[in-house]
Amino acid sequence: MKERIERLKKLTYIPQKEIAWLIEQAELSDRQQEIIEENKRQQEVTVHQFRQVQEEIQHLSGDRNRYKQALEKIITNLNFAITVAQNELEGDVR
């Protein structure tokens, strides 16, 4: 696109007003293309970050479930130990 702009600038047989308009349109088109490419790049980055966050959420959800199960086992064991201790105390009291 930039080469076309330079070629247009060198033309002399087109009225200056039309040349200026053509150059302006070409430069505008070039800027729009750069913006489109940057937006695509940012979209790709955003999609990649979203997928990473999704994977992290899944990982953390798995960790949470494992911790919950481990805590439930600890609570069950503690309840059993408390029951045993209570039974032993009641046996000593009698």
Side-chain angles (χ1 to χ4, degrees):
M1 182 58 82
K2 291 183 182 184
E3 294 121 15
R4 290 181 186 172
I5 294 169
E6 291 307 314
R7 266 190 291 159
L8 284 173
K9 287 179 180 178
K10 292 177 184 175
L11 294 176
T12 57
Y13 59 92
I14 299 176
Q16 206 59 29
K17 185 176 179 182
E18 280 76 14
I19 275 271
W21 184 83
L22 286 172
I23 291 170
E24 183 180 307
Q25 294 304 308
E27 289 172 341
L28 177 62
S29 176
D30 195 39
R31 285 193 304 271
Q32 287 173 336
Q33 187 61 38
E34 289 172 1
I35 290 169
I36 289 169
E37 290 171 7
E38 177 62 19
N39 287 343
K40 284 181 183 179
R41 187 192 68 75
Q42 289 177 0
Q43 185 178 18
E44 289 171 1
V45 168
T46 301
V47 167
H48 179 71
Q49 289 173 339
F50 177 79
R51 288 186 179 143
Q52 284 181 321
V53 167
Q54 235 178 358
E55 289 174 9
E56 185 65 21
I57 288 171
Q58 289 173 351
H59 176 72
L60 291 172
S61 293
D63 285 349
R64 187 187 72 179
N65 289 336
R66 284 190 294 277
Y67 292 141
K68 182 179 176 184
Q69 289 172 354
L71 185 58
E72 287 171 352
K73 287 180 184 178
I74 291 170
I75 290 171
T76 300
N77 290 339
L78 285 173
N79 284 333
F80 179 75
I82 289 169
T83 302
V84 168
Q86 285 175 336
N87 289 340
E88 287 179 5
L89 285 174
E90 288 175 6
D92 286 344
V93 173
R94 292 180 189 173

